[in-house]
Amino acid sequence: MSGATARYCLALDLLDDAEKIAEYQRLHQRIWPEVAAHLRQHGIVDMEIYRLGARLFMVMEVNERFNAQDFAQASEQDPHIQRWEALMWQFQQPTPWTPAGEKWVAMARIFALQDQ
């Protein structure tokens, strides 16, 4: 990876339904190429999603090209991303701590070994 990178850690919940969770995971085995291209185009160099029960945890590594506001605006204007998000929302729900109208929310880092 060239250039500076930053890490974002975000949380979101799934509907607590085994069939929906299985389908959500299946859809993420190979996301739509337009979605992957959109992420990379906006400076997202890596992204991983982990699951515990119905809770999701996303780790997103970005480079210096990433701008959260520009990314959000471009996502709202891209019909492929809007279709993907509508499909994903059939499986997702906000966490109990998510502000109204938001989806994935940033988690607060409370520990770093490198700071010890």
Side-chain angles (χ1 to χ4, degrees):
M1 257 183 270
S2 62
T5 62
R7 177 183 303 129
Y8 291 82
C9 298
L10 305 119
L12 179 67
D13 284 349
L14 292 172
L15 298 172
D16 196 5
D17 176 292
E19 288 182 18
K20 287 188 179 287
I21 290 171
E23 179 64 6
Y24 184 84
Q25 287 188 188
R26 186 192 68 74
L27 289 166
H28 280 80
Q29 289 174 359
R30 179 64 64 186
I31 64 171
W32 298 351
E34 299 88 353
V35 173
H38 179 79
L39 296 172
R40 290 182 178 115
Q41 176 186 357
H42 288 92
I44 299 171
V45 295
D46 196 16
M47 179 183 284
E48 296 177 332
I49 299 175
Y50 297 85
R51 181 179 70 82
L52 176 64
R55 174 104 350 117
L56 299 176
F57 170 63
M58 178 193 294
V59 180
M60 186 170 73
E61 300 280 343
V62 302
N63 64 23
E64 67 281 347
R65 290 191 342 252
F66 181 77
N67 177 291
Q69 289 179 326
D70 291 346
F71 176 67
Q73 184 176 17
S75 296
E76 289 174 9
Q77 296 172 356
D78 187 310
H80 294 290
I81 301 306
Q82 288 305 299
R83 284 199 311 277
W84 176 259
E85 290 299 330
L87 174 61
M88 293 302 103
W89 198 238
Q90 295 176 41
F91 307 97
Q92 300 167 330
Q93 63 182 348
T95 73
W97 310 279
T98 301
E102 293 189 30
K103 199 170 176 177
W104 286 97
V105 291
M107 299 177 74
R109 185 177 84 171
I110 64 166
F111 173 81
L113 182 59
Q114 67 187 11
D115 296 340
Q116 301 299 309

